[in-house]
């Protein structure tokens, strides 16, 4: 079986596994990677960019290298290759868990239990929940759903289409490491610089595809494109900006503004300023949009890989 078909069938099976089962309950490979990366950090940490770059190289290179070895070891078996691709896809995508956590917060808000909503919010993002009222929590959830649709689903599928199992695993390693050390705290401002920059590079294609697909799958495609073009560049993140702006336009809501993150206040630009304020019901709408975007991303990634490989085969025979 050709490699492009292995990816197509394996990625579809893995995404279906995520839709039906969510993340693995025990022994999650991403959690294992996090523990290993934490152990490496305890050995290497210095308040220096070079040591942080070494940490990034060891962790991302190690995870990607192991994935490449596993991929090569099963290359002679179609069934094993499919199973490995499916398992890797299931392990690295997290759309169902994202939706589950978002709905848990939304359910608490709908029931009027803001304290439970505040307790659940850290499962989605690093905002300071005690600084948020109900509307602020709802907006934080919608923004997190938008950004994590790119990070937890679309970006992984894009890199899987480009590089198979090593691409899937490598992207998740980059993204996980950025979440661990890439933020701008006093401890990680220098040490996490390399991880943050690598995450910006790795996340670039997935973020743009997410923004496009949000416009296609949303109820307001023109508004999504307009918000993306007008407001994305104002966002401090080169990848979250297009995604959150497109989601804001697609949902007809207004995102951005003042937030409290990691003990500091940030005044972020408003995205889709002509939209209305986020309401609790918009959490469910964002989750549904995220799921549609993920399914479309699978189709685009598979089609792209089949097309590229077809063109290569045609070039070799001409």
């Amino acid at each position: 079986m050709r490699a492009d078909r292995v990816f197509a069938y394996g990625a579809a099976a893995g995404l279906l596994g995520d839709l039906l089962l969510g993340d693995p309950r025990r022994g999650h490979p991403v959690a294992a990677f996090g523990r290993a990366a934490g152990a490496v950090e305890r050995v290497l940490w210095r308040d220096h960019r070079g040591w942080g770059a070494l940490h990034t190289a060891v962790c991302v290179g190690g995870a990607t290298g192991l994935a490449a070895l596993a991929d090569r070891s099963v290359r002679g078996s179609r069934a094993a290759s499919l199973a490995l691709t499916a398992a890797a896809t299931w392990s690295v995508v997290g759309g169902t868990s994202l939706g589950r956590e978002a709905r848990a917060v939304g359910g608490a808000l709908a029931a009027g239990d803001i304290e439970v909503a505040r307790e659940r919010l850290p499962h989605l993002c690093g905002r300071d929940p005690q600084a948020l009222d109900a509307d602020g929590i709802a907006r934080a959830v919608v923004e997190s759903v938008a950004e994590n649709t790119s990070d937890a689903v679309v970006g992984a599928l894009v890199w899987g289409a480009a590089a198979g199992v090593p691409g899937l695993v490598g992207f998740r390693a980059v993204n996980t490491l950025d979440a661990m050390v890439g933020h701008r705290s006093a401890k990680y401002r220098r040490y996490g610089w390399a991880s943050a920059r690598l995450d910006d590079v790795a996340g670039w294609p997935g973020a743009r595809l997410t923004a496009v697909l949000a416009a296609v799958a949303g109820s307001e495609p023109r508004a999504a494109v307009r918000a993306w073009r007008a407001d994305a560049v104002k966002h401090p993140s080169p990848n979250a900006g297009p995604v959150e702006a497109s989601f804001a336009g697609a949902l007809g809501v207004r995102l951005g503004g003042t937030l409290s993150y990691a003990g500091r206040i940030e005044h972020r630009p408003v995205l889709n300023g002509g939209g209305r304020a986020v309401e609790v019901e918009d959490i469910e709408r964002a989750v549904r949009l995220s799921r549609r975007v993920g399914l479309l991303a699978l189709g685009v990634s598979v089609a792209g890989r089949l097309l590229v490989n077809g063109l290569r085969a045609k070039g070799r025979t001409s």
Side-chain angles (χ1 to χ4, degrees):
M1 185 180 295
R2 289 180 358 197
D4 51 5
R5 293 181 181 178
V6 168
F7 172 75
Y9 298 146
L15 192 61
L16 179 62
D18 178 66
L19 290 173
L20 294 176
L21 304 173
D23 287 334
R25 295 294 185 181
R26 295 182 178 179
H28 200 305
V30 175
F33 171 81
R35 291 191 293 271
V40 174
E41 179 189 343
R42 288 191 289 274
V43 173
L44 294 181
W45 189 90
R46 307 286 190 282
D47 190 17
H48 190 277
R49 284 187 177 183
W51 285 95
L54 179 59
H55 179 212
T56 302
V58 169
C59 294
V60 175
T64 306
L66 288 174
L69 287 173
D71 187 46
R72 178 171 292 185
S73 70
V74 301
R75 195 164 293 173
S77 169
R78 296 176 181 179
S81 294
L82 279 171
L84 179 63
T85 302
T89 303
W90 178 38
S91 296
V92 305
V93 300
T96 296
S97 295
L98 172 64
R100 185 183 295 133
E101 292 297 339
R103 284 170 170 150
V105 178
L109 290 175
D113 197 337
I114 192 171
E115 290 306 318
V116 170
R118 284 171 174 159
E119 290 176 5
R120 300 289 306 193
L121 186 62
H123 292 269
L124 279 171
C125 60
R127 308 284 175 88
D128 295 332
Q130 298 305 319
L132 298 172
D133 58 11
D135 291 341
I137 292 173
R139 174 168 62 86
V141 171
V142 172
E143 290 172 354
S144 182
V145 168
E147 184 175 0
N148 282 293
T149 299
S150 176
D151 289 343
V153 183
V154 181
L157 292 172
V158 168
W159 280 100
V165 170
L168 289 165
V169 173
F171 176 79
R172 175 55 59 222
V174 169
N175 192 249
T176 302
L177 201 61
D178 175 64
M180 294 178 66
V181 304
H183 42 88
R184 297 180 179 178
S185 66
K187 180 177 181 179
Y188 295 123
R189 185 171 288 108
R190 295 184 182 86
Y191 188 80
W193 178 86
S195 293
R197 298 292 76 75
L198 182 59
D199 184 67
D200 288 343
V201 173
W204 195 96
R208 274 71 193 167
L209 179 58
T210 303
V212 170
L213 296 180
V216 170
S219 58
E220 299 287 343
R222 292 184 179 179
V225 173
R226 184 165 57 249
W228 177 10
R229 294 181 62 183
D231 300 329
V233 295
K234 303 173 185 176
H235 198 284
S237 169
N239 294 330
V243 172
E244 291 184 17
S246 186
F247 261 71
L251 295 169
V253 300
R254 186 171 62 250
L255 299 178
T258 301
L259 58 86
S260 178
Y261 180 82
R264 67 180 185 278
I265 301 297
E266 291 188 11
H267 300 284
R268 293 187 176 177
V270 173
L271 307 175
N272 192 40
R276 59 175 173 78
V278 175
E279 300 173 354
V280 174
E281 292 78 10
D282 294 314
I283 293 175
E284 179 62 28
R285 294 177 64 226
V287 170
R288 291 179 179 177
L289 177 59
S290 173
R291 177 163 291 190
R292 293 195 297 272
V293 168
L295 292 173
L296 286 172
L298 174 64
V300 171
S301 299
V302 167
R305 177 148 182 162
L306 290 170
L307 177 61
V308 170
N309 285 357
L311 291 174
R312 287 175 178 172
K314 185 177 180 179
R316 286 194 297 267
T317 58
S318 61

